[in-house]
Amino acid sequence: MSTALAKAPSIVTQAGADMPAALDFLKPRSVAIIGASRDPSKRGNRAIQTLLDCGYAGTILPINPKETEILGLPCYPDLASAPGEIDLAMVCTPARVAPEVIALCGERDVHGALVLAGGFSEAGPAGAELEARTLAAARKGNVRLIGPNTNGMFDGHTGLNLTGWPSVYAGGLGVLSQSGNVALSLLAQSHQNGHAGFSTFVGVGNEGDIRFHEYLRFFGDDPNTKAVIVYAEGFKDGRAFLEAAREVARRKPVVLYKAGRTDQGEGAARSHSGSLAGNYVAASAALRQAGVIQVERSDEMFVVADLVSRTGGRPTRGVAVLSEGGGPISQAADALAERGLDLPPLAEATVAALQTITPNASQLSNPIDAGGGTDPHPRYMPACAREILADLAVDALLIVGYFGGYQVRYGASLREIENEAAHQLVALAREHGKPVVVQCHYAEFPTEAIAILREGGIVVVRSIEIAAAALAAAQRFHEVSTAPMDEASAPTPASAEAAQLAAAARTEGRSALLEPEAMQALAGAGVAIPPFALLRAPADAARLPAELLAGPVALKIVSRDILHKSDVGGVRLGISGAAAIEAESAALLAHIGATCPGADIAGVLVTPMAGKGVEVVIGVTEDPQFGRLLMFGLGGVFVEIMKDVVFRTLPVSRSDAREMLDQIRGRALLEGARGMAPVDREGLVELLLEVSALAMSAPDFVEIDLNPVIVNAEGCAVVDARILLAGDAG
Amino acid sequence: MSTALAKAPSIVTQAGADMPAALDFLKPRSVAIIGASRDPSKRGNRAIQTLLDCGYAGTILPINPKETEILGLPCYPDLASAPGEIDLAMVCTPARVAPEVIALCGERDVHGALVLAGGFSEAGPAGAELEARTLAAARKGNVRLIGPNTNGMFDGHTGLNLTGWPSVYAGGLGVLSQSGNVALSLLAQSHQNGHAGFSTFVGVGNEGDIRFHEYLRFFGDDPNTKAVIVYAEGFKDGRAFLEAAREVARRKPVVLYKAGRTDQGEGAARSHSGSLAGNYVAASAALRQAGVIQVERSDEMFVVADLVSRTGGRPTRGVAVLSEGGGPISQAADALAERGLDLPPLAEATVAALQTITPNASQLSNPIDAGGGTDPHPRYMPACAREILADLAVDALLIVGYFGGYQVRYGASLREIENEAAHQLVALAREHGKPVVVQCHYAEFPTEAIAILREGGIVVVRSIEIAAAALAAAQRFHEVSTAPMDEASAPTPASAEAAQLAAAARTEGRSALLEPEAMQALAGAGVAIPPFALLRAPADAARLPAELLAGPVALKIVSRDILHKSDVGGVRLGISGAAAIEAESAALLAHIGATCPGADIAGVLVTPMAGKGVEVVIGVTEDPQFGRLLMFGLGGVFVEIMKDVVFRTLPVSRSDAREMLDQIRGRALLEGARGMAPVDREGLVELLLEVSALAMSAPDFVEIDLNPVIVNAEGCAVVDARILLAGDAG
């Protein structure tokens, strides 16, 4: 692929804006329409018409051997005869000829090709083979592929509309979607809104070549894009997406709807785009960790992205609510508090100032009901807003109720006054630099005041709850963008010891480490493991280390053939002294010999009895999309009955580990509930980091399970450890 | 108050419709406007103008001693000189004269009076006193009061608009609101919708006289009302509301938004209407039990009520999703599943039929993506819907995506075809009697097709999630309306034994029963209590019943002065035989004598050690709004850390009790998790019913606490019981 484009200033980007390096052809100076047509019902005709209608500033090159002119443009028989450099080819031809068409693109040095047709990997094995051949042609010819099976793409700023959709407004929202219809839904909202539009949309289709993460980096570098909306059903390369998100989401809000939260949704998504929807809990944790702003309602995507694209990372935690009636402020207070935002008390000076503006107000504490007895006037709104925005406790203002719609509610007589109030509010929001959101019962009625507010950059919405969700998302972006950079995770060297343990186990045909080996691996990774010994014969008891002979110990059978020791009576607890250990070990071996005949017995593991404390579970599991994840939860009923566990992708940072402790529902137990002292929190964080490091240094250890670990004020004790090896389901 | 109105056919109700007995003046044949004015900025002028504009069919009687004519109507100097019967007086005069005005209403035999002014009990003690005097005048004169501090009321069918709000469409939604602005927000949605309107709205204001429950019964009996929307911040008489809801909600959907879910929302609500917002968890449980359909988003109220007003109680659990694109069906599947609805598989015959209609469809299983390759045509929608609605597994159909907006998306050329498709869908929905909901990306664009759908009774919404919430609410109404009537709770006779125990305790100046007394009270209510004995002196141990001497027992100190026995070392466990019991009792008494000097010791309670099982907690607590509630939860960490408890108002029915077991998050533990046998579920249900009955028969027992109860496969054992008496915080 030619890299000339990266150096030459593009004719279709804004003057002075730097071009992103990688996917330059997403802002093409020229587009070839392969399969151009004179038939207005054909995509190869509509695409040209749309480009003309949208005033696309680049060169349009219709390609069709049977035509010489289409819609007033010269038509070329093939790519070779079309003049000039070709940045992008839009392929409107049927799927079956895609490999040949892409090969021709390569010969002609076309930079990127957008393949509209379906019938590829989403349609079964034959389609997958066709997609593979198409991709091979692209690789050979140095052509990057958008799609196949995509709805196309558009650029709101240059008129490059390759979707054929009407009403594409230019604006700051980049859209990266696995569904054309979801993007169209956003378009309809932009159309209704009138003042929030789009930078670039790309339908990723089957992610045949370019995947989510590459597009995301493009948006990250695109100066027109102020926030990125992602609709994803599954990721072909989840790890790469997380890496890109971790980098982009700190600078630019990434608002993501992940389909497949439920089995039903997951099933629907899988059949839709042939992608792997994966487990939502794990996906959600991984995406959150990467700084993504997740939305779980389709009706929140547009407003959330619109607001976060405008707040510039400013905080919105402390929200003042202003209205002229009581009900909506209660609803707003509930909606904000449920989403983790605060309604800070106002300063006395603010209350006093509000009192002089609206002496009859029903309530001058936050939330503020400026109405009282009679209906107030729209001009009170900016007057009150001025005082509220000046209050240091207030990060953001949410106006709920009539404002914007007084002219609907009370008639045209109020129009000029309300419009002027809207202008004032716009000026105030700019002056104070604090986010202002207006929830208006009449947001669906296109009043002049609403248009003034939106034109001035104020988000106006119909729903109180969506307004609250948008403010919560803005606060989240503030936190993501201001979080201290995680300590650079030094590349983890492979652990020779772990590799040796894995190799030895494999030599013996085992798919798991024996428990003493697992303990050894953990100790090697810096985990403070209590003393332990493997008793190969009961008679060896007397030679156990003194610390194991001093107090009560646990005896556990060690066998490659016994995965669940307790279930077969393979554990004895609270045994003290060499004689008792010898006797109980012998009894244990005899019992196992009788109940599990033929089991290969390595011996009896002797460990000290754990102290009292809180049982927790730490594990490493493999997610099909995002790779290995660290799991943490409270043990016992919490994990078994309440499924109270949290996940993070590896490696976890110290702040991730701390967040994991905070996010379990039963966290009160760690903080010292039931009369116990708080547990050694930092010790637990350290243990999570050590397990993370062990997993990173031992790619062979696909599953690690410390269950339970006993945590108390003094520290953590790993009571049971299990490690499974790669290449085996265990 | 005259009852003539109840007998005479009203001129303003629909012919043949029966008038409800109680609040007849809510459909007045004549309205006096007290404080009528010629000043168009005054409510006393706007009200008359609105009545004229809305074509109110009754008699309007302006009252003002200074005027003879207002807006073309004769004005009377006082009520006495106004002609004819006066059903309703709208009081536009200031708050301070309200008692006198209401007294005059009484003298004139006015049936009901609507008091607009604020400044009553919501405004502090002086206002409360004014409200009390106003109410006294009303009682004396036999006038019922709406308000005070209300936004007024309207009737969509008769033009009785006493709110001054524009655009009141007639329809089936009754609105009962503590906030005028919340009602106005619903009005704006009706206006935008164009085809869903209102029967009657009443702003309850301060509930000075008429309270929520009386209005609710009015709506229950009003033939124009098909569903009731309630916005409540708190209830002045929560028990009466529950009783009314229990009766009405089975016949007519009651859709309720309760403000004050969070501390912030509760604070806002309390300041707003001076009502008691109360604890949301308890309120929510009580309302659910009464059959109310709760919504927790302001943006769902209108659509939910609109849909449930139309489904006639038909089930909507099994939903088929139809679209022409993949993304929205994934989002719909997630949204439906998260709200407890199913997406049943389609019958093979249905799939085959769909295949012939849309051979290129991407997915013909539910959810159905009828699109494929090219954009499909609106005419496929009714064709597919016909097959889907005929499928026996399908209760309801949710169409998501373009339908209704093809003419926006693809231009006017499709208008006629889409409009015809909309007509067909309306006919199909009627023919099959199955609810159909259309989610349309273009719902905010008033297309002809959308108007046809709505006019035909099909709910069209913008949001996938709100559509799903509405379908879930419809299913809930189906369940409420078809649930077997609870066994009529026989009036519970007061328990003489309970009264005696309470009286005896009070004689001794105690505010709680001693544990043996509590056990006795439970036994008296039919609870199977293990054998127990109060050992007054250790030496009596030998005379204990044989069953307590046979096995290990627990010893517990019994003292009016010791509430938390365990905290002071007042419990000894696992003691066997007379000698040991005597020795341990003596030691226990000595210990308590030393640690709690001066405590009045009644003796030592001897009970058998409980078997192994699941710890649960059963309690009776007092809610300030809804009275006494039965609480159930799992014990230990579940209640302490996870707050995993559920509530029901007393008395609970058998189905309530069963639901309580099903609704705790940790219910798996009752079903036999962790290798245990399932617990004796029916025994536990029985115990809940017995505790409910005990509380009903013993009004003195304001708090009952059985903590823990050990449940296993064999039954339930009450291990500890505590009963607090009325008149004391305990």
Side-chain angles (χ1 to χ4, degrees):
Chain A
M1 183 180 119
S2 159
T3 56
L5 190 60
K7 284 154 201 151
S10 162
I11 57 159
V12 293
T13 49
Q14 291 180 339
D18 284 339
M19 281 296 286
L23 305 180
D24 320 352
F25 51 84
L26 293 179
K27 303 216 173 200
R29 296 162 303 178
S30 54
V31 183
I33 309 295
I34 301 177
S37 169
R38 295 179 74 91
D39 177 350
S41 78
K42 293 278 165 71
R43 190 70 181 263
N45 180 279
R46 280 195 282 136
I48 298 170
Q49 186 62 59
T50 309
L51 287 170
L52 293 171
D53 292 348
C54 293
Y56 173 56
T59 309
I60 308 170
L61 301 164
I63 311 289
N64 185 335
K66 295 182 193 145
E67 307 288 349
T68 55
E69 176 267 317
I70 293 177
L71 292 167
L73 296 171
C75 182
Y76 304 93
D78 49 35
L79 279 172
S81 46
E85 197 163 0
I86 303 177
D87 290 341
L88 184 64
M90 178 170 175
V91 182
C92 302
T93 46
R96 64 176 187 283
V97 299
E100 292 72 36
V101 171
I102 297 301
L104 291 169
C105 288
E107 284 166 22
R108 180 62 177 78
D109 216 12
V110 171
H111 304 168
L114 188 156
V115 182
L116 286 175
F120 290 91
S121 63
E122 86 285 3
E129 195 268 340
L130 182 62
E131 187 166 313
R133 280 199 291 126
T134 308
L135 188 60
R139 294 260 192 278
K140 186 166 173 233
N142 217 2
V143 183
R144 299 304 307 270
L145 287 192
I146 306 169
N149 187 29
T150 168
N151 285 69
M153 64 164 293
F154 64 70
D155 186 301
H157 293 265
T158 63
L160 176 85
N161 185 337
L162 297 178
T163 58
W165 297 337
S167 314
V168 177
Y169 295 178
L173 305 179
V175 178
L176 186 50
S177 178
Q178 219 158 359
S179 158
N181 276 0
V182 169
L184 254 173
S185 172
L186 297 170
L187 235 70
Q189 284 173 82
S190 159
H191 191 184
Q192 216 275 332
N193 179 297
H195 294 276
F198 299 95
S199 55
T200 301
F201 156 77
V202 186
V204 301
N206 289 358
E207 288 186 274
D209 172 21
I210 312 175
R211 297 187 170 175
F212 272 111
H213 61 278
E214 282 192 85
Y215 292 118
L216 184 64
R217 288 191 195 277
F218 163 83
F219 282 116
D221 294 333
D222 173 33
N224 289 334
T225 300
K226 307 302 178 202
V228 191
I229 304 178
V230 184
Y231 171 79
E233 297 180 346
F235 298 96
K236 283 224 172 134
D237 191 343
R239 298 292 299 196
F241 182 79
L242 294 180
E243 216 167 283
R246 232 176 331 257
E247 196 274 306
V248 172
R250 297 179 60 87
R251 307 184 266 117
K252 204 170 268 191
V254 177
V255 176
L256 186 145
Y257 181 106
K258 168 80 175 64
R261 289 193 301 283
T262 63
D263 290 346
Q264 286 84 340
E266 190 174 330
R270 200 166 290 164
S271 3
H272 173 221
S273 57
S275 65
L276 186 65
N279 173 293
Y280 185 71
V281 175
S284 178
L287 292 165
R288 177 184 167 80
Q289 188 181 359
V292 160
I293 299 165
Q294 291 174 78
V295 291
E296 298 199 337
R297 294 179 63 105
S298 65
D299 59 7
E300 285 178 355
M301 297 170 74
F302 183 83
V303 176
V304 162
D306 188 17
L307 183 67
V308 295
S309 77
R310 296 170 190 279
T311 57
R314 287 188 291 270
T316 54
R317 180 176 295 289
V319 182
V321 174
L322 172 63
S323 185
E324 66 299 60
I329 66 170
S330 298
Q331 295 176 322
D334 276 338
L336 290 165
E338 281 174 342
R339 286 161 183 81
L341 300 177
D342 300 332
L343 281 85
L346 301 176
E348 278 179 36
T350 310
V351 174
L354 291 174
Q355 181 89 52
T356 64
I357 300 166
T358 57
N360 295 321
S362 299
Q363 180 173 327
L364 288 179
S365 58
N366 187 17
I368 302 136
D369 177 358
T374 57
D375 294 314
H377 215 270
R379 76 163 74 93
Y380 288 157
M381 288 291 141
C384 291
R386 180 184 307 278
E387 304 303 331
I388 295 165
L389 288 171
D391 193 309
L392 291 178
V394 172
D395 294 324
L397 172 62
L398 171 61
I399 295 179
V400 294
Y402 297 132
F403 190 56
Y406 280 93
Q407 50 201 272
V408 182
R409 163 74 181 82
Y410 293 102
S413 64
L414 279 178
R415 187 178 303 137
E416 286 313 311
I417 296 167
E418 184 171 36
N419 293 352
E420 175 53 28
H423 280 300
Q424 286 171 13
L425 192 67
V426 166
L428 279 167
R430 289 205 179 127
E431 181 186 321
H432 286 277
K434 292 184 180 177
V436 175
V437 174
V438 173
Q439 178 275 330
C440 175
H441 300 331
Y442 300 93
E444 282 142 8
F445 297 84
T447 69
E448 289 172 15
I450 291 174
I452 291 163
L453 291 170
R454 285 180 168 156
E455 197 170 357
I458 291 181
V459 170
V460 181
V461 294
R462 176 64 180 85
S463 157
I464 291 173
E465 289 76 17
I466 294 177
L471 284 163
Q475 172 63 19
R476 167 103 175 104
F477 179 56
H478 167 72
E479 287 162 13
V480 168
S481 61
T482 56
M485 285 296 282
D486 277 345
E487 55 274 41
S489 64
T492 317
S495 155
E497 185 183 20
Q500 249 165 21
L501 284 167
R506 284 200 177 112
T507 307
E508 297 179 17
R510 284 188 278 126
S511 57
L513 298 191
L514 296 174
E515 191 171 348
E517 295 167 345
M519 292 290 194
Q520 190 188 333
L522 286 163
V527 176
I529 292 288
F532 66 91
L534 181 65
L535 207 58
R536 296 197 184 271
D540 297 341
R543 291 201 299 277
L544 284 169
E547 47 199 347
L548 289 173
L549 293 175
V553 297
L555 305 179
K556 297 190 268 185
I557 198 74
V558 178
S559 165
R560 57 182 291 175
D561 300 319
I562 299 174
L563 275 179
H564 301 288
K565 301 179 288 284
S566 300
D567 295 356
V568 296
V571 180
R572 307 273 160 123
L573 298 176
I575 317 298
S576 289
I581 292 174
E582 179 172 350
E584 286 290 337
S585 298
L588 180 57
L589 289 166
H591 169 73
I592 294 296
T595 53
C596 310
D600 180 8
I601 307 297
V604 174
L605 183 67
V606 185
T607 60
M609 289 297 290
K612 294 216 163 190
V614 180
E615 274 189 30
V616 305
V617 182
I618 298 173
V620 172
T621 59
E622 179 94 13
D623 180 79
Q625 285 186 86
F626 298 113
R628 282 190 300 170
L629 305 172
L630 185 70
M631 185 198 86
F632 170 72
L634 291 178
V637 293
F638 287 95
V639 59
E640 288 172 41
I641 308 289
M642 307 301 266
K643 318 276 182 229
D644 188 14
V645 294
V646 292
F647 294 89
R648 288 293 182 281
T649 51
L650 294 177
V652 298
S653 69
R654 191 169 293 274
S655 56
D656 288 335
R658 288 190 179 131
E659 233 186 32
M660 291 177 89
L661 303 195
D662 290 337
Q663 281 182 0
I664 53 168
R665 281 178 278 152
R667 61 188 165 278
L669 217 54
L670 300 177
E671 291 157 5
R674 318 193 90 194
M676 288 173 56
V679 305
D680 175 11
R681 201 182 141 81
E682 283 310 302
L684 193 48
V685 166
E686 213 55 59
L687 178 55
L688 288 169
L689 292 173
E690 287 158 0
V691 174
S692 167
L694 171 61
M696 291 303 290
S697 72
D700 282 323
F701 295 178
V702 286
E703 217 172 278
I704 301 176
D705 195 20
L706 312 189
N707 183 10
V709 175
I710 304 285
V711 201
N712 55 31
E714 279 73 49
C716 312
V718 177
V719 174
D720 206 301
R722 208 174 144 206
I723 293 179
L724 301 191
L725 303 176
D728 215 296
Chain B
M1 182 181 121
S2 158
T3 55
L5 190 60
K7 282 153 204 151
S10 162
I11 57 159
V12 294
T13 48
Q14 290 180 337
D18 284 340
M19 281 296 286
L23 305 180
D24 318 352
F25 51 84
L26 294 178
K27 303 215 172 201
R29 295 161 304 177
S30 54
V31 183
I33 309 295
I34 301 178
S37 169
R38 295 179 73 91
D39 178 350
S41 78
K42 293 278 167 67
R43 189 72 181 262
N45 180 278
R46 279 196 281 137
I48 298 169
Q49 186 63 59
T50 309
L51 286 171
L52 293 171
D53 292 347
C54 294
Y56 173 55
T59 310
I60 308 171
L61 301 165
I63 311 288
N64 185 335
K66 296 184 193 144
E67 308 288 351
T68 54
E69 177 267 318
I70 294 178
L71 292 167
L73 296 171
C75 183
Y76 304 94
D78 49 35
L79 280 171
S81 46
E85 198 164 0
I86 304 178
D87 291 341
L88 183 64
M90 178 170 175
V91 181
C92 302
T93 47
R96 63 176 188 283
V97 300
E100 292 72 35
V101 170
I102 297 302
L104 292 169
C105 287
E107 285 166 23
R108 180 60 177 77
D109 217 12
V110 171
H111 305 168
L114 188 156
V115 181
L116 285 174
F120 289 90
S121 63
E122 86 285 2
E129 194 268 339
L130 182 63
E131 186 166 312
R133 282 198 290 124
T134 308
L135 187 60
R139 293 264 193 275
K140 187 165 173 235
N142 217 3
V143 182
R144 299 302 309 270
L145 286 191
I146 306 169
N149 185 30
T150 168
N151 284 72
M153 64 164 293
F154 64 70
D155 187 297
H157 293 264
T158 63
L160 175 85
N161 185 338
L162 297 178
T163 58
W165 297 337
S167 313
V168 177
Y169 294 177
L173 305 178
V175 179
L176 186 50
S177 177
Q178 220 158 1
S179 159
N181 277 0
V182 169
L184 252 172
S185 173
L186 298 171
L187 235 70
Q189 285 173 80
S190 159
H191 191 183
Q192 217 272 332
N193 178 297
H195 294 276
F198 299 95
S199 54
T200 301
F201 156 77
V202 186
V204 300
N206 290 359
E207 287 187 275
D209 172 20
I210 311 175
R211 297 186 171 175
F212 272 110
H213 61 279
E214 283 192 84
Y215 293 118
L216 185 63
R217 288 191 193 277
F218 164 83
F219 282 115
D221 294 333
D222 174 32
N224 289 335
T225 299
K226 306 302 179 202
V228 192
I229 303 179
V230 183
Y231 170 79
E233 297 180 346
F235 299 95
K236 282 220 172 138
D237 191 343
R239 297 291 300 193
F241 182 79
L242 293 180
E243 216 167 284
R246 234 179 326 259
E247 196 274 306
V248 172
R250 297 179 59 86
R251 308 185 265 118
K252 205 171 266 191
V254 177
V255 176
L256 187 146
Y257 180 106
K258 169 80 176 65
R261 288 193 300 282
T262 63
D263 290 347
Q264 286 86 341
E266 191 173 331
R270 201 166 288 164
S271 4
H272 173 221
S273 57
S275 65
L276 186 65
N279 174 291
Y280 184 72
V281 175
S284 178
L287 292 165
R288 177 185 167 80
Q289 187 182 359
V292 159
I293 298 166
Q294 290 176 78
V295 291
E296 298 198 338
R297 295 179 64 106
S298 67
D299 59 7
E300 285 178 356
M301 297 169 75
F302 183 84
V303 176
V304 162
D306 188 18
L307 183 67
V308 294
S309 77
R310 297 170 190 278
T311 57
R314 287 188 291 269
T316 54
R317 179 176 297 288
V319 182
V321 173
L322 171 64
S323 185
E324 66 299 58
I329 66 168
S330 298
Q331 295 177 322
D334 275 339
L336 290 164
E338 281 174 341
R339 286 161 183 81
L341 300 178
D342 300 331
L343 281 85
L346 302 175
E348 278 179 36
T350 311
V351 174
L354 291 174
Q355 181 89 54
T356 63
I357 300 167
T358 57
N360 295 320
S362 300
Q363 180 173 328
L364 288 180
S365 57
N366 188 15
I368 303 137
D369 178 358
T374 57
D375 294 315
H377 215 272
R379 76 163 75 94
Y380 288 156
M381 288 291 140
C384 292
R386 180 186 307 280
E387 304 303 330
I388 294 165
L389 288 170
D391 193 309
L392 291 178
V394 172
D395 294 323
L397 172 62
L398 171 60
I399 296 179
V400 294
Y402 296 131
F403 190 57
Y406 279 93
Q407 50 201 270
V408 182
R409 164 73 183 85
Y410 293 102
S413 64
L414 278 178
R415 185 178 303 137
E416 287 313 312
I417 296 168
E418 184 170 36
N419 294 353
E420 174 54 28
H423 279 300
Q424 287 171 13
L425 192 67
V426 166
L428 279 167
R430 290 206 179 126
E431 180 187 321
H432 286 276
K434 293 184 180 178
V436 175
V437 175
V438 173
Q439 179 276 331
C440 175
H441 301 330
Y442 299 93
E444 282 143 9
F445 298 85
T447 68
E448 289 172 15
I450 291 174
I452 290 164
L453 291 169
R454 285 179 167 156
E455 198 170 353
I458 291 180
V459 169
V460 181
V461 294
R462 176 65 180 82
S463 156
I464 291 173
E465 288 76 16
I466 294 177
L471 284 163
Q475 172 62 17
R476 167 103 175 104
F477 178 56
H478 167 71
E479 287 163 12
V480 168
S481 61
T482 56
M485 285 295 283
D486 278 343
E487 54 272 45
S489 63
T492 317
S495 154
E497 185 182 20
Q500 251 167 21
L501 284 166
R506 284 197 177 113
T507 308
E508 297 179 17
R510 285 190 276 125
S511 58
L513 298 191
L514 297 174
E515 192 172 349
E517 294 168 346
M519 292 290 193
Q520 189 187 333
L522 286 163
V527 176
I529 293 286
F532 65 92
L534 182 66
L535 207 59
R536 297 196 184 270
D540 296 341
R543 290 201 300 278
L544 285 168
E547 46 199 348
L548 289 173
L549 293 176
V553 297
L555 305 178
K556 296 191 269 184
I557 198 76
V558 178
S559 166
R560 57 181 291 173
D561 299 320
I562 299 173
L563 274 180
H564 301 288
K565 300 178 290 284
S566 300
D567 295 357
V568 296
V571 180
R572 306 274 161 122
L573 299 176
I575 317 298
S576 289
I581 293 173
E582 180 172 349
E584 286 289 337
S585 298
L588 179 58
L589 289 167
H591 168 74
I592 294 295
T595 53
C596 309
D600 180 7
I601 307 298
V604 174
L605 184 66
V606 185
T607 59
M609 289 297 290
K612 294 217 163 188
V614 180
E615 274 189 29
V616 305
V617 182
I618 297 173
V620 172
T621 59
E622 180 94 13
D623 179 79
Q625 285 185 87
F626 298 112
R628 282 191 300 168
L629 304 172
L630 185 70
M631 185 198 88
F632 170 73
L634 291 178
V637 293
F638 287 93
V639 60
E640 288 172 42
I641 309 289
M642 306 302 266
K643 317 277 182 231
D644 188 13
V645 294
V646 291
F647 295 89
R648 289 292 182 282
T649 51
L650 294 177
V652 300
S653 68
R654 190 170 294 273
S655 55
D656 288 334
R658 289 189 179 133
E659 234 185 33
M660 292 177 89
L661 303 195
D662 290 337
Q663 280 183 0
I664 52 169
R665 280 179 277 150
R667 62 187 165 278
L669 217 53
L670 300 177
E671 291 158 4
R674 317 193 93 195
M676 289 173 57
V679 305
D680 175 11
R681 201 180 142 81
E682 284 309 303
L684 192 49
V685 166
E686 212 55 58
L687 178 56
L688 288 169
L689 293 173
E690 286 158 0
V691 174
S692 167
L694 171 62
M696 292 301 291
S697 71
D700 281 323
F701 296 177
V702 286
E703 217 172 276
I704 301 176
D705 194 22
L706 311 189
N707 183 10
V709 175
I710 304 285
V711 202
N712 54 31
E714 279 73 48
C716 312
V718 177
V719 173
D720 206 302
R722 210 174 141 204
I723 293 179
L724 302 190
L725 302 176
D728 215 295

